[in-house]
Amino acid sequence: GVGPARAAALERLGVESVRDLCFLAPRALESWPAALPLARAREALGKRVRVEARVLSSSLLRLGRRRSLLRVRFEDGETTLDALFFN
């Protein structure tokens, strides 16, 4: 499943085998804040947050060959939250 463009990009990183890919180190590590309850996450509109919740439902809508919309409903025991993921 690796096309010519992806193979060239991997080769520039020095990846020539699956073994090389397994030992490829990330460029950077990102630390995430402590998990918030969903109610507090709603207050943080536009900011990055981490939540712990259960997925109640999900639906995928295809908007053409290359575009899609994923709708997921989460709940944490007190609050439900609908999230949309594009492409």
Side-chain angles (χ1 to χ4, degrees):
V2 175
R6 174 84 35 121
L10 290 171
E11 190 174 329
R12 283 192 298 276
L13 293 173
V15 176
E16 297 178 1
S17 68
V18 174
R19 183 179 191 282
D20 293 340
L21 188 59
C22 289
F23 287 102
L24 183 65
R27 283 187 294 197
L29 295 175
E30 186 174 322
S31 68
W32 283 82
L36 294 176
L38 288 177
R40 296 243 348 258
R42 284 184 176 177
E43 299 166 4
L45 186 63
K47 297 179 183 174
R48 264 192 182 172
V49 296
R50 188 181 83 171
V51 298
E52 288 183 24
R54 186 170 66 106
V55 174
L56 293 178
S57 63
S58 65
S59 62
L60 179 65
L61 177 63
R62 299 263 181 211
L63 303 173
R65 285 187 342 150
R66 299 181 144 228
R67 297 174 43 174
S68 61
L69 176 68
L70 175 64
R71 179 183 301 264
V72 182
R73 175 165 280 185
F74 298 98
E75 71 95 19
D76 66 356
E78 297 178 12
T79 307
T80 61
L81 177 84
D82 289 324
L84 296 174
F85 300 91
F86 299 93
N87 296 329

